[in-house]
């Protein structure tokens, strides 16, 4: 699976994963769970940006109105009838508009505050057409400034909504603020973490008048969040070169002298309210989080635990201050795969109210003292018709892997197989990611109605979490592709069960030397649960599903399976992952495999006409009732872990309402 390491690292906790997508996904209906009394001083509305999951194109913007106590979970989509895009990272209100920075889509969405309608989608692309991957935004005197991972800052005129200048700073900028007529940009170098080049350690200073970099200040490895503080200061969180080592530091820059001081506090994310900073940190050893109150003047910790009423936040994700009330807003990401919550605390650390299920990975909150004029409500959201998607998991037998015995494998402590199937069905219905583990792991899905075979057309789509890198060493399509072979079956005996003949869909590699047919592999339960999982195949090869430091669950071998050996048979595809410049690139096969191309691309679509029997004879099916997906590659990809196909759902492209 893709451990979106870039994003656990670079968005401070930001999506577990470049790879792990973040690891991965949920889409359930909003329920208006409001706990407490949502009242605020001088505040008419708040907006919550939810980044969604990497490469799932499911970022969202929620609006809560204090006047009528109404939440619109997917406000932008409800108004504009389209989504924000992929991995929205930052947001701000400036003048009469809302600006949203969407990283993977490489856009800045400009929204009219009054109506909620999109005014313009500013494309953030280099001259050669490559994505700049914008990250954060700040404003100064009718100009917006956006830092991007390609090492640039773009200046946007807020009247014409066009980019009027670009300047170059350091590597992979991951934060920007304004102080004393200067821009301060934190250069993370985060995308170079595994390349041998290592992370950056500087903050670029850009003179606003000339829009040129005037200096670089060394602050410490992998700087991220950066905020202007009181008395001509800037504060930045440096995250070190090893996320698990906890090498996080809270650093002060005196903008008058460029002197750098470490504040002797561990911090990954923070917010500033006058002289008070709220510092978030996560300890990967103890797997505990903390939020402290810190006095910037005295450089002393005021409270080791900001929250004083016993409220527990499992996974704090964003911290924002309401400028009209000075209340502290903290978002809860839960397990990164389910809808998170928004919690409001007073300065005494007491919970005032909580808004449940606002969106997937909520990160940024902005506030307005004026109300918009859009009367749209949450019921206006044009959600996808559930009849078009798989609605039942009939079988689920994953191979060992780094996400086995976690929520991504539909597992909770003590679950039986029946409970696994029930939970897997729930996740599929909610389009949540399910991992199939290493080679041979599979899932069997059913549908509300048969999928017809329409000659000359694609009949269904398999959604996974594959994505493209903008540049690969060969120039061919690649990024994170973890191909799975797809099988189909028709309920020929009419009993409603997947017990008829299965037919393989011929992909691009069928019959070529890039596949090995009649491949068989056996995995063995380790003597100690926390050991690597040994395997051997029928080609006289052997190896291990290797444990890694990012996933520390009890075992990588499915705990609900009683047998001490698991054997899988099927067709193996040739290894597709290649190490390039310190990063693994999973190259895409041309067509015909699950989790092989992004969900928005034609390569994620399938034709029933491709179905053949075990002898390679066309099946000539008029419709299908079941789909089976199986991991088809047996490869360890270093820090990426084993190649493991992931599935969120299967869509019937011909469904009838």
């Amino acid at each position: 699976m893709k451990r979106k390491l870039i994003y656990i690292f670079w968005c401070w906790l930001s999506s577990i994963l470049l790879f792990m997508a973040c690891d991965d996904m949920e889409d359930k209906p909003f329920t208006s769970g409001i706990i407490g009394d949502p009242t605020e001083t001088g505040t008419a509305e708040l907006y919550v940006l939810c980044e969604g999951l990497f490469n799932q194109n499911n970022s969202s913007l929620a609006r809560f109105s204090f006047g009528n106590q109404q939440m619109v979970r997917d406000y932008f989509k409800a108004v504009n009838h389209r989504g924000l895009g992929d991995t929205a990272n930052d947001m701000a209100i400036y003048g009469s508009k809302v600006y949203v920075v969407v990283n993977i889509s490489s856009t800045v969405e400009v929204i009219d505050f009054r109506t909620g309608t999109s005014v313009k989608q500013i494309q953030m692309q280099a001259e050669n057409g490559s994505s700049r991957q914008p990250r954060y935004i700040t404003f100064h005197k009718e100009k917006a400034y956006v830092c991007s991972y390609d090492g640039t800052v773009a200046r946007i005129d807020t009247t014409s909504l066009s980019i009027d200048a670009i300047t170059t700073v350091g590597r992979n900028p991951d934060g920007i603020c304004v102080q004393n007529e200067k821009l301060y940009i934190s250069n993370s170098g985060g995308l170079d973490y595994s390349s041998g080049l290592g992370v950056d350690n500087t903050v670029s200073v850009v003179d606003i008048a000339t829009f040129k970099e005037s200096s670089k200040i060394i602050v410490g490895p992998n700087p991220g969040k950066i905020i202007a503080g009181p008395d001509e200061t800037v504060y930045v969180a440096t995250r070190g070169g090893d996320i698990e080592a906890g090498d996080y530091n809270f650093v002060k820059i005196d903008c008058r002298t460029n002197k750098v001081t470490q504040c002797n506090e561990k911090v990954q994310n923070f917010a500033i309210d006058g002289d008070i900073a709220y510092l978030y940190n996560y300890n990967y050893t103890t797997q505990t989080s903390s939020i402290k109150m810190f006095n910037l003047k005295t450089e002393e910790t005021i409270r080791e635990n900001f929250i004083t009423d016993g409220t527990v936040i499992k996974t704090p994700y964003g911290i924002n201050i309401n400028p009209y009330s000075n209340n502290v807003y903290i978002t809860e990401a839960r397990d990164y795969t389910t809808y998170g919550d928004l919690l409001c605390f007073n300065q005494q650390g007491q919970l005032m109210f909580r808004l449940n299920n606002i969106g997937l990975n909520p990160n940024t909150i902005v506030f307005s003292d004026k109300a918009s004029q859009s009367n749209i409500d949450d019921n206006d959201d044009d959600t996808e018709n559930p009849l078009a998607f798989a609605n039942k998991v009939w079988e689920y037998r994953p191979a060992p892997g780094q996400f086995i015995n976690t929520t991504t494998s539909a597992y909770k402590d003590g679950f039986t197989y029946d409970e696994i199937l029930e939970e897997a069905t729930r996740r599929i219905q909610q389009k949540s990611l399910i991992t199939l583990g290493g080679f041979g792991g599979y899932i069997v899905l059913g549908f509300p109605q048969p999928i017809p075979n329409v000659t000359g057309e694609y009949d269904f789509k398999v959604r996974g979490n594959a994505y493209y890198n903008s540049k690969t060493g060969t120039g061919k399509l690649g990024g994170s592709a973890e191909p799975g072979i797809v099988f189909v079956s028709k309920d020929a005996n009419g009993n409603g069960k997947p017990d008829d003949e299965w037919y393989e869909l011929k992909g691009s590699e069928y019959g070529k030397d890039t596949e090995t047919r009649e491949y068989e592999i056996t995995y063995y339960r380790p003597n100690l649960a926390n050991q690597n999982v040994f395997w051997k195949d029928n080609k006289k090869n052997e190896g291990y599903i290797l444990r890694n430091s990012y996933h520390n669950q009890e075992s990588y071998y499915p705990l609900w399976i009683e047998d001490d050996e698991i054997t899988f048979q099927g067709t193996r595809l040739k290894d597709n992952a290649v190490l390039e410049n310190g990063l693994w690139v999973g190259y895409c096969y041309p067509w015909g495999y699950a989790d092989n191309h992004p969900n928005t691309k034609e390569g994620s679509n399938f034709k029933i006409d491709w179905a053949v029997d075990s002898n390679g004879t066309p099946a000539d099916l008029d419709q299908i009732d079941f789909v089976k997906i199986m991991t088809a590659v047996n490869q360890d990809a270093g820090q990426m872990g084993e190649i493991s196909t992931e599935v969120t759902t299967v869509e019937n492209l011909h469904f009838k309402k």
Side-chain angles (χ1 to χ4, degrees):
M1 174 158 194
K2 310 111 186 127
R3 246 181 289 90
K4 296 171 179 156
L5 218 150
I6 291 177
Y7 289 109
I8 200 181
F9 224 175
W10 326 136
C11 306
W12 61 284
L13 240 115
S14 192
S15 300
I16 299 191
L17 200 6
L18 189 282
F19 320 110
M20 304 188 30
C22 304
D23 270 353
D24 306 300
M25 20 259 64
E26 190 132 339
D27 189 9
K28 67 181 179 180
F30 172 73
T31 55
S32 61
I34 299 176
I35 299 174
D37 181 20
T39 58
E40 267 288 20
T41 303
T43 310
E45 293 178 345
L46 64 81
Y47 294 79
V48 187
L49 185 64
C50 302
E51 70 188 48
L53 290 161
F54 184 86
N55 201 52
Q56 293 303 307
N57 202 38
N58 59 356
S59 298
S60 62
L61 177 64
R63 183 193 70 181
F64 181 77
S65 301
F66 287 96
N68 60 12
Q69 303 284 283
Q70 184 185 68
M71 167 69 80
V72 184
R73 174 180 57 89
D74 205 344
Y75 175 65
F76 179 85
K77 186 176 182 181
V79 174
N80 297 280
H81 307 290
R82 65 173 174 86
L84 277 170
D86 198 329
T87 316
N89 284 137
D90 197 20
M91 168 179 60
I93 297 175
Y94 188 77
S96 62
K97 299 179 180 64
V98 182
Y99 295 76
V100 180
V101 179
V102 191
N103 175 237
I104 302 305
S105 296
S106 203
T107 60
V108 176
E109 189 77 55
V110 186
I111 304 164
D112 180 76
F113 173 81
R114 184 178 63 87
T115 63
T117 56
S118 174
V119 177
K120 187 174 182 179
Q121 194 177 60
I122 302 172
Q123 300 297 319
M124 302 292 292
Q125 295 179 332
E127 292 181 358
N128 64 1
S130 63
S131 298
R132 293 193 183 278
Q133 291 191 275
R135 291 289 287 149
Y136 291 96
I137 191 168
T138 193
F139 298 86
H140 186 68
K141 295 182 178 178
E142 309 304 319
K143 301 288 185 181
Y145 298 89
V146 180
C147 66
S148 298
Y149 266 156
D150 71 340
T152 64
V153 175
R155 187 176 69 198
I156 299 172
D157 183 86
T158 58
T159 301
S160 66
L161 298 179
S162 60
I163 299 172
D164 63 20
I166 299 283
T167 195
T168 301
V169 288
R171 292 186 285 123
N172 310 138
D174 208 14
I176 186 169
C177 70
V178 176
Q179 183 68 282
N180 283 0
E181 300 294 319
K182 295 181 175 63
L183 298 172
Y184 289 80
I185 302 99
S186 54
N187 302 313
S188 72
L191 298 185
D192 298 324
Y193 169 65
S194 302
S195 68
L197 188 60
V199 297
D200 204 330
N201 64 354
T202 63
V203 166
S204 289
V205 183
V206 173
D207 183 77
I208 290 179
T210 63
F211 199 46
K212 299 291 184 183
E213 182 184 73
S214 59
S215 63
K216 280 191 173 75
I217 303 170
I218 296 175
V219 295
N222 191 22
K225 187 68 171 284
I226 190 167
I227 300 178
D231 300 328
E232 301 179 72
T233 59
V234 163
Y235 289 84
V236 59
T238 62
R239 300 162 295 190
D242 183 350
I243 188 170
E244 290 193 307
D247 186 22
Y248 311 109
N249 288 291
F250 190 46
V251 175
K252 178 178 75 173
I253 302 172
D254 186 328
C255 301
R256 295 161 295 194
T257 63
N258 286 350
K259 180 182 178 181
V260 174
T261 306
Q262 283 196 4
C263 298
N264 197 32
E265 284 288 352
K266 302 293 186 183
V267 60
Q268 290 172 310
N269 193 25
F270 64 98
I272 291 177
D273 180 23
D275 293 334
I276 303 300
Y278 297 86
L279 312 180
Y280 167 80
N281 188 45
Y282 184 82
N283 188 311
Y284 285 87
T285 301
T286 63
Q287 297 187 351
T288 57
S289 61
S290 64
I291 300 172
K292 298 182 179 182
M293 287 184 70
F294 185 81
N295 189 305
L296 299 175
K297 290 279 192 181
T298 64
E299 298 187 355
E300 295 176 341
T301 299
I302 301 172
R303 271 204 318 264
E304 288 289 337
N305 296 298
F306 162 65
I307 299 173
T308 57
D309 62 2
T311 300
V312 176
I313 304 177
K314 178 184 176 183
T315 315
Y317 205 62
I319 304 176
N320 296 92
I321 309 297
N322 184 342
Y324 306 108
S325 67
N326 303 110
N327 287 328
V328 181
Y329 284 71
I330 301 171
T331 60
E332 160 74 275
R334 298 186 183 272
D335 62 359
Y336 307 103
T337 74
T338 57
Y339 276 22
D341 303 338
L342 173 65
L343 297 87
C344 173
F345 295 86
N346 60 25
Q347 292 174 302
Q348 288 71 49
Q350 300 166 326
L351 181 65
M352 298 180 65
F353 63 88
R354 179 174 190 143
L355 306 178
N356 293 324
N357 303 317
I358 58 172
L360 191 57
N361 293 325
N363 56 21
T364 305
I365 309 155
V366 297
F367 307 86
S368 174
D369 61 346
K370 300 178 178 62
S372 60
Q373 296 180 16
S374 173
N375 294 321
I376 201 160
D377 61 39
D378 208 55
N379 294 322
D380 293 321
D381 184 13
D382 57 343
T383 57
E384 295 172 308
N385 194 315
L387 295 177
F389 299 90
N391 69 338
K392 183 176 177 66
V393 176
W394 283 93
E395 297 181 41
Y396 177 49
R397 193 168 179 85
Q402 62 188 321
F403 296 100
I404 301 305
N405 304 318
T406 72
T407 57
T408 311
S409 65
Y411 180 76
K412 295 181 181 179
D413 289 344
F415 262 21
T416 64
Y417 182 56
D418 287 343
E419 291 171 318
I420 291 286
L421 287 181
E422 182 179 348
E423 176 65 12
T425 293
R426 186 191 70 83
R427 292 185 67 83
I428 284 292
Q429 290 175 350
Q430 298 181 345
K431 305 182 185 71
S432 299
L433 199 79
I434 292 182
T435 184
L436 305 185
F439 175 86
Y442 68 87
I443 192 169
V444 176
L445 303 175
F447 301 85
Q449 56 183 243
I451 302 176
N453 183 356
V454 179
T455 302
E457 296 184 14
Y458 291 110
D459 302 304
F460 64 92
K461 175 187 287 288
V462 180
R463 296 187 188 181
N465 66 341
Y467 60 87
Y468 296 151
N469 286 350
S470 58
K471 296 181 181 178
T472 61
T474 65
K476 298 179 180 179
L477 290 177
S480 185
E482 300 179 285
I485 290 176
V486 179
F487 304 82
V488 297
S489 180
K490 178 181 178 179
D491 185 18
N493 62 18
N495 67 357
K497 299 178 181 180
D499 55 4
D500 295 283
E501 185 174 358
W502 284 99
Y503 302 92
E504 180 180 343
L505 296 191
K506 293 174 60 174
S508 60
E509 309 313 294
Y510 188 89
K512 299 180 180 179
D513 60 4
T514 48
E515 64 171 15
T516 302
R517 305 195 72 79
E518 298 181 356
Y519 183 76
E520 181 176 294
I521 190 171
T522 299
Y523 300 93
Y524 299 87
R525 188 191 304 274
N527 293 326
L528 297 176
N530 63 354
Q531 292 180 328
N532 300 328
V533 178
F534 177 71
W535 61 263
K536 62 181 181 181
D537 63 20
N538 61 346
K539 304 299 181 182
K540 299 182 179 180
N541 301 307
E542 59 185 42
Y544 291 91
I545 299 291
L546 298 173
R547 293 183 65 87
N548 58 62
S549 56
Y550 300 98
H551 301 95
N552 296 311
Q553 67 268 30
E554 178 182 355
S555 177
Y556 285 11
Y557 190 98
L559 293 174
W560 66 91
I561 294 178
E562 297 180 357
D563 298 331
D564 291 334
E565 302 178 6
I566 315 171
T567 298
F568 297 94
Q569 303 90 17
T571 297
R572 174 184 172 179
L573 295 176
K574 182 180 178 180
D575 292 356
N576 69 311
V578 178
L579 187 63
E580 295 180 352
N581 298 318
L583 296 174
W584 286 88
V585 176
Y587 279 94
C588 310
Y589 285 111
W591 54 270
Y593 302 99
D595 201 22
N596 181 52
H597 290 276
N599 299 330
T600 57
K601 302 299 183 180
E602 184 178 352
S604 63
N605 295 342
F606 295 81
K607 295 181 178 181
I608 297 174
D609 278 340
W610 298 342
V612 296
D613 65 17
S614 58
N615 297 315
T617 304
D620 194 25
L621 298 168
D622 62 337
Q623 66 181 44
I624 61 169
D625 298 277
F626 307 100
V627 170
K628 176 181 177 180
I629 303 160
M630 180 197 79
T631 300
V633 174
N634 181 25
Q635 182 183 10
D636 178 78
Q639 75 266 26
M640 292 280 293
E642 79 287 341
I643 298 297
S644 55
T645 302
E646 278 90 43
V647 180
T648 62
T649 190
V650 175
E651 179 182 2
N652 177 356
L653 298 178
H654 307 305
F655 84 97
K656 298 179 180 179
K657 296 182 179 180

